[in-house]
Amino acid sequence: MTSTQTQTVQKGPATEVADTRQQKTPLQLISQGVSLPGIPRHPTFAAQRKWILEQMALAFRVFARKDYTDGMAGHISVRDPENPHTFWTNPLAVHFGILKASDMILVNYEGVPIGGNMSLPANAAGFFIHSAVHKARPDVDAACHTHSPHGMAWSAFGRPLEMLTQDAAYLYGDAQAVYKDFGGVVLTEEEGNKIGDALGAKGKGMILQNHGLLTVGSTVSEACFLMTLMERACQCQLLAEAAEANGLKKVYIPEESARYTFENSSDAETLYWEGQPDLQFEEYMSKGEHRE
């Protein structure tokens, strides 16, 4: 065949199936049959806000049930749909397991409470962390920070999670960050900004050395799920490290497989739905009181 000739390739069934798969979204690929719908969008800012705050209350209850509570530590923030330079967060010193949509506080980037529950303060450390994340990442609508047990334990090593499990591969490459410059309780704008910068432009989850975990997403459901995923991944990593110390050898996911898993599992729609089963269970258990 000369350089001016072309070759016609006859497509067989396998090629056609591959082409069909390439045309589908990750959510469509994981849905055998009718696909799950996309992320809900509501017709008014008020309706969208109401739904966001209810999802937020459910996420806190997920964290409570999974034992991520630690005194007054831990917070979730969600960007307001109408005023994106403000965000909702939880009040200080209220247990995650009893939080309701009406408990949340709206604060601006200056740290001034401007709406919602004004009877209690917000967490100052939470404000500095979350405001920095929201400023640095306009694509992030929700952020979670907890002092979960295995997350804190693994954070002591100042190392990223290794690609040991399928779940860990959800945080492949730049999706995972480590913040190593622990400066104590976050009570300054400078420290908050350093954490926001460390997350990077593509970060979805971050290990805060000697501190805990931080996750972000385009929905509360996504950020909540990534927090539960990171905590489990930290637990698995610690178990694997203990086994390796006793003579067993870890087997890592190949680079190509880890990247493939990430590309087909870590989009916003899929991660929204990954978080929904836990939130649905909390809604069922709360009997609707999270909405009050």
Side-chain angles (χ1 to χ4, degrees):
M1 180 181 293
T2 67
S3 60
T4 58
Q5 290 177 308
T6 58
Q7 181 179 21
T8 301
V9 178
Q10 185 67 37
K11 288 188 177 182
T15 305
E16 291 173 357
V17 170
D19 288 347
T20 301
R21 288 181 63 84
Q22 289 175 1
Q23 293 168 9
K24 290 185 176 181
T25 67
L27 189 60
Q28 291 170 336
L29 286 172
I30 203 171
S31 301
Q32 189 68 23
V34 177
S35 177
L36 288 168
I39 299 169
R41 293 287 182 265
H42 297 83
T44 64
F45 287 128
Q48 186 75 7
R49 183 180 297 113
K50 179 177 183 294
W51 175 71
I52 286 171
L53 293 177
E54 289 173 1
Q55 291 272 293
M56 190 175 175
L58 292 172
F60 276 115
R61 290 168 184 249
V62 170
F63 290 171
R65 191 176 297 277
K66 293 181 181 290
D67 198 26
Y68 298 174
T69 58
D70 184 17
M72 294 190 293
H75 6 84
I76 297 176
S77 64
V78 187
R79 196 185 299 273
D80 186 79
E82 185 175 8
N83 301 295
H85 291 86
T86 65
F87 60 89
W88 295 87
T89 191
N90 51 303
L92 189 62
V94 178
H95 194 279
F96 290 176
I98 60 174
L99 281 168
K100 305 182 292 292
S102 58
D103 290 322
M104 308 308 171
I105 305 169
L106 181 66
V107 298
N108 60 23
Y109 281 173
E110 288 68 49
V112 179
I114 57 173
N117 175 18
M118 307 286 277
S119 65
L120 288 172
N123 186 310
F127 165 74
F128 286 118
I129 293 172
H130 290 261
S131 61
V133 169
H134 286 293
K135 287 178 187 176
R137 291 281 299 278
D139 60 309
V140 165
D141 283 334
C144 303
H145 169 58
T146 70
H147 293 185
S148 57
H150 299 99
M152 285 195 292
W154 180 246
S155 78
F157 296 96
R159 289 168 47 194
L161 290 161
E162 297 174 334
M163 297 295 104
L164 297 177
T165 66
Q166 177 175 296
D167 283 3
Y170 280 44
L171 297 168
Y172 169 80
D174 293 341
Q176 182 183 185
V178 178
Y179 177 65
K180 295 188 176 185
D181 191 14
F182 177 68
V185 177
V186 183
L187 295 176
T188 66
E189 184 176 357
E190 179 185 5
E191 183 74 3
N193 288 340
K194 286 161 68 175
I195 291 173
D197 291 342
L199 182 62
K202 298 180 180 179
K204 290 177 175 287
M206 182 159 64
I207 294 165
L208 306 176
Q209 184 175 297
N210 306 114
H211 189 169
L213 303 177
L214 174 75
T215 59
V216 300
S218 60
T219 61
V220 178
S221 186
E222 176 181 353
C224 175
F225 171 72
L226 287 173
M227 179 60 69
T228 65
L229 179 143
M230 280 197 84
E231 168 65 7
R232 286 195 307 272
C234 287
Q235 182 179 15
C236 289
Q237 180 86 46
L238 290 164
L239 290 169
E241 295 288 335
E244 186 177 52
N246 283 281
L248 295 178
K249 183 177 176 58
K250 288 186 290 191
V251 177
Y252 296 95
I253 297 174
E255 184 85 7
E256 183 179 347
S257 298
R259 182 172 59 252
Y260 176 84
T261 300
F262 173 77
E263 290 173 350
N264 288 282
S265 304
S266 290
D267 64 297
E269 284 190 341
T270 304
L271 291 176
Y272 164 79
W273 278 105
E274 288 276 21
Q276 283 301 293
D278 270 341
L279 269 60
Q280 291 166 5
F281 179 70
E282 294 303 331
E283 183 170 17
Y284 172 79
M285 294 300 292
S286 74
K287 296 180 173 56
E289 71 174 19
H290 69 286
R291 299 190 183 97
E292 297 175 8

